[in-house]
Amino acid sequence: MSKLCRQVSIESPGPTLKECVFSFDVPVPDVPMYGARIRVVYAGACYRAHRTRSASVCSTSSVSSIGSLSGELEGFGLHSSTPAHIGLRDGALFPGYEVAGVVDAIGKAAEGTEGMGEGTRIVLYPYEGVPHGYADYIVVPDFKCLVPVPDNLPLSVAAMLPTGALLAMNTVYTAIECLNKILEGSNKKDKATVLIVGTGGLALWALRIATHFFKESPHHKNIFISVATIKDEGFVLAQESVEVKVVQWSEDLYEKQLIERTTDACGGPVDIVLNFGTTSRSLHRSLQCLAQGGMVLVTEDVGDKLLPKFAKKAEEMNVNIVVVPNGTIEQLRELVQLVANGNIEPPPHSVFPAEEAQEVVRKLCNSEIQGRAILKFHNID
């Protein structure tokens, strides 16, 4: 008789959030011939508003809560009066994309293990076809999607890295390429300004990653960072560096006032905007804050939805919208080391037993969780 393990499923909750999380006993998966079986220790508690992989709400918009979710979901074509009413479509529990654990067993014909063996601590790169992560055990086809985690990096922190943090990393990498052209090109400028929009988890990762890499740049004295935030909580969090200017985007002000406030705080129109909002309003405002030839960097989910709508306007304004995909596994390896070495400090996170997934969903929908919500499946300490 096959051994059984637990699998958690999150269905679409109604307004009262009743009976939206279910737990099943499923067979422990067999070890694939060329791959490995992973014992899941931590997994990021997030879900998608779409079937598509890139449309993660929690990972790409807010980690501390879904407090501003009803507005952010405009970019996904969803509208709601309160976050509790949006629903988690098709039980999409963001399967597998933010998983940290240990290698439980290795296939007999596995290759490219690169020194990894049973018991090795790993984080899973979100490859296409990634298996369900909300289970005690998952299997991977080969070792190419596994990144070893140093002993000094908590697995709960490692579970935050494969999606939101990695996407922020690639966005910063793209921004650096753009900055080099601005500061080194034929029409080079004496300084360049970067505006990060939002203070959810993705924006906080981007701020901390950008601060680290910009300091390493030969142009670090010529690069200036500002953060535009809506929520007061985010306003406080963004003030973690005296070198970073903060401008509050109060929704009770007219667009013209907000744009003037932003350009005043940034010392003029900005060169690059890292826009982690998902609304057409946020993107429209970002475009109007740009200098001639400037660019807005948006994630794939936002680009797919809003780029057709704004492409012509951007061309008329002589600005650019650049769509940034999730980062590479090489970037994930680098990110793991940077966080493990203390070069980049992760945003706050909170750990909950997997058995409390129902309560975690309720708290997320009501903005009651500080920091990224992580589900714990096993205790390996």
Side-chain angles (χ1 to χ4, degrees):
M1 184 175 179
S2 299
K3 292 184 179 180
L4 301 178
C5 68
R6 167 186 48 177
Q7 185 172 40
V8 177
S9 176
I10 303 177
E11 306 296 338
S12 298
T16 59
L17 291 175
K18 291 182 178 179
E19 299 182 357
C20 64
V21 178
F22 302 89
S23 183
F24 305 94
D25 288 331
V26 298
V28 174
D30 294 330
V31 183
M33 181 68 68
Y34 299 96
R37 184 170 61 208
I38 305 301
R39 185 181 187 187
V40 177
V41 180
Y42 294 98
C46 49
Y47 46 81
R48 300 170 294 180
H50 267 223
R51 288 180 180 271
T52 53
R53 178 167 65 90
S54 59
S56 162
V57 173
C58 287
S59 287
T60 61
S61 59
S62 174
V63 295
S64 60
S65 67
I66 316 180
S68 58
L69 189 55
S70 56
E72 291 174 345
L73 285 176
E74 176 192 340
F76 297 121
L78 301 177
H79 299 274
S80 168
S81 58
T82 64
H85 295 148
I86 63 167
L88 312 185
R89 298 179 60 184
D90 305 315
L93 44 105
F94 207 52
Y97 302 142
E98 293 187 317
V99 165
V102 297
V103 176
D104 179 68
I106 299 175
K108 296 180 180 179
E111 298 178 352
T113 58
E114 299 178 357
M116 286 190 285
E118 293 183 5
T120 299
R121 306 163 82 247
I122 57 87
V123 64
L124 180 65
Y125 177 74
Y127 64 96
E128 291 293 342
V130 65
H132 293 297
Y134 285 82
D136 288 327
Y137 295 92
I138 62 174
V139 293
V140 294
D142 56 49
F143 279 76
K144 295 179 182 178
C145 56
L146 303 179
V147 176
V149 175
D151 292 338
N152 62 334
L153 178 61
L155 285 177
S156 60
V157 174
M160 295 193 287
L161 304 183
T163 53
L166 182 58
L167 178 56
M169 178 93 151
N170 197 31
T171 306
V172 171
Y173 266 43
T174 305
I176 291 174
E177 294 178 5
C178 300
L179 288 169
N180 289 339
K181 293 178 181 178
I182 292 171
L183 297 171
E184 298 175 357
S186 55
N187 297 318
K188 65 179 180 180
K189 301 173 65 173
D190 294 331
K191 69 172 186 176
T193 53
V194 176
L195 177 66
I196 299 176
V197 176
T199 47
L202 191 53
L204 281 176
W205 273 114
L207 175 59
R208 297 180 182 194
I209 293 170
T211 300
H212 168 74
F213 280 106
F214 290 173
K215 287 181 179 178
E216 301 292 320
S217 169
H219 306 294
H220 68 277
K221 294 183 179 179
N222 306 99
I223 300 174
F224 300 89
I225 305 176
S226 297
V227 175
T229 175
I230 298 174
K231 298 180 64 177
D232 291 337
E233 176 189 22
F235 187 82
V236 173
L237 289 173
Q239 290 181 309
E240 51 187 63
S241 172
V242 295
E243 299 177 359
V244 176
K245 294 183 178 180
V246 180
V247 55
Q248 193 163 19
W249 279 5
S250 303
E251 292 302 300
D252 56 346
L253 295 179
Y254 291 110
E255 286 297 301
K256 184 178 180 180
Q257 292 175 300
L258 290 173
I259 295 165
E260 290 177 350
R261 170 183 286 189
T262 304
T263 53
D264 286 345
C266 298
V270 301
D271 298 290
I272 299 175
V273 177
L274 278 59
N275 189 319
F276 296 116
T278 57
T279 65
S280 56
R281 184 179 183 184
S282 171
L283 181 54
H284 185 260
R285 188 183 303 160
S286 297
L287 290 173
Q288 295 183 83
C289 292
L290 285 174
Q292 290 286 304
M295 58 191 67
V296 176
L297 308 185
V298 299
T299 57
E300 278 186 317
D301 52 326
V302 176
D304 291 343
K305 285 290 184 181
L306 300 183
L307 189 56
K309 180 178 178 180
F310 284 93
K312 184 176 180 180
K313 183 173 183 62
E315 183 179 358
E316 293 172 351
M317 297 175 65
N318 191 26
V319 295
N320 303 281
I321 301 175
V322 178
V323 177
V324 181
N326 196 35
T328 65
I329 191 168
E330 289 76 17
Q331 289 174 335
L332 179 57
R333 292 192 183 99
E334 182 181 7
L335 182 59
V336 166
Q337 292 300 322
L338 288 170
V339 176
N341 295 337
N343 300 110
I344 296 173
E345 182 181 355
H349 72 286
S350 301
V351 175
F352 302 88
E355 294 80 7
E356 297 180 9
Q358 173 83 41
E359 181 66 6
V360 170
V361 171
R362 186 196 69 78
K363 289 182 176 180
L364 281 173
C365 290
N366 289 286
S367 307
E368 297 176 10
I369 294 179
Q370 180 182 8
R372 186 75 176 82
I374 305 293
L375 298 178
K376 183 175 182 179
F377 282 80
H378 289 111
N379 187 358
I380 63 170
D381 299 328

